[in-house]
Amino acid sequence: MSVVMQPAVLAARWESRVELRDQSDVLDSGQLATPIPMAVQSNLQHAVRDWHFQPAIHALAEPAPVLLIQLQRYRVVDGVIVKNSNPVQLQVGTTLQMPIFTDSAGLAVRWQRYEVIFAVLHAGATPQTGHYQSMLMLGSEGQMHLTNDATAPAMSQNSVRLQTECYVIGLANCSCGAVQPPAEMAGM
């Protein structure tokens, strides 16, 4: 028997739900200790929108203090791994609105603001080759600090690397209460 330790801060989950015969059913769910996979799009909020508006509605089952998004930068084409290096609009202070189901049974959601606090960058042609680094984002100070093996984090202004090599994005709940849905989702 193996025991997997999970930080309490990542104990929340997401769910996908559909409405069948006047009730909703959970079709799938996942723990937030595992990053939520999302397609690479130039606007990260659009990636959240597309994750949410699938045939089964996706949302967090409850608010989470911290959550992780994994951009699907790699795919296999004709047996060859191909990396998607398209830039994602990301900078210090970027915020996203994440959908959270309003109850344990329905499809209604509210929107909660999360701030990007770090990103894992990957320079390499495949996930198994290259170099991983993390970019710590201090929104209140408007600074980015890049980590590297066995060295102290150093200030960085390299937003191009951040936008083209971000692979995993860490978000912190802004704890500012529910917010209006993003403009492109209003009325949906």
Side-chain angles (χ1 to χ4, degrees):
M1 178 171 104
S2 66
V3 176
V4 177
M5 299 301 290
Q6 174 176 309
V9 74
L10 296 174
R13 68 188 195 292
W14 60 266
E15 292 181 347
S16 67
R17 300 178 185 176
V18 294
E19 190 167 328
L20 299 171
R21 294 182 291 281
D22 297 328
Q23 70 179 32
S24 69
D25 286 335
V26 175
L27 294 184
D28 197 8
S29 66
Q31 296 295 317
L32 293 181
T34 302
I36 300 169
M38 292 190 189
V40 174
Q41 294 197 29
S42 63
N43 183 314
L44 200 50
Q45 188 67 59
H46 292 172
V48 171
R49 175 200 60 203
D50 290 352
W51 172 75
H52 173 61
F53 287 113
Q54 297 182 55
I57 300 298
H58 286 60
L60 303 179
E62 62 268 340
V66 175
L67 61 96
L68 306 170
I69 292 174
Q70 181 177 346
L71 296 177
Q72 298 170 316
R73 289 231 179 246
Y74 295 95
R75 60 189 170 97
V76 178
V77 177
D78 297 327
V80 176
I81 296 174
V82 177
K83 183 176 183 179
N84 179 342
S85 293
N86 290 340
V88 174
Q89 296 171 9
L90 196 58
Q91 60 190 11
V92 174
T94 296
T95 61
L96 295 177
Q97 296 176 40
M98 293 295 296
I100 301 172
F101 287 116
T102 58
D103 58 46
S104 61
L107 298 180
V109 299
R110 66 180 178 86
W111 295 88
Q112 176 68 46
R113 189 178 318 254
Y114 282 80
E115 182 177 2
V116 175
I117 56 173
F118 72 86
V120 175
L121 312 180
H122 181 258
T126 72
Q128 295 80 22
T129 63
H131 186 60
Y132 285 90
Q133 292 180 284
S134 60
M135 180 81 69
L136 309 174
M137 302 167 127
L138 305 174
S140 61
E141 299 173 23
Q143 297 178 352
M144 297 186 298
H145 294 267
L146 185 64
T147 64
N148 206 352
D149 298 339
T151 62
M155 284 212 4
S156 174
Q157 296 303 319
N158 194 339
S159 61
V160 172
R161 279 200 63 213
L162 173 64
Q163 294 176 6
T164 59
E165 295 179 359
C166 62
Y167 186 55
V168 175
I169 299 167
L171 303 163
N173 189 323
C174 290
S175 298
C176 51
V179 295
Q180 295 297 315
E184 65 268 11
M185 294 180 215
M188 294 184 122

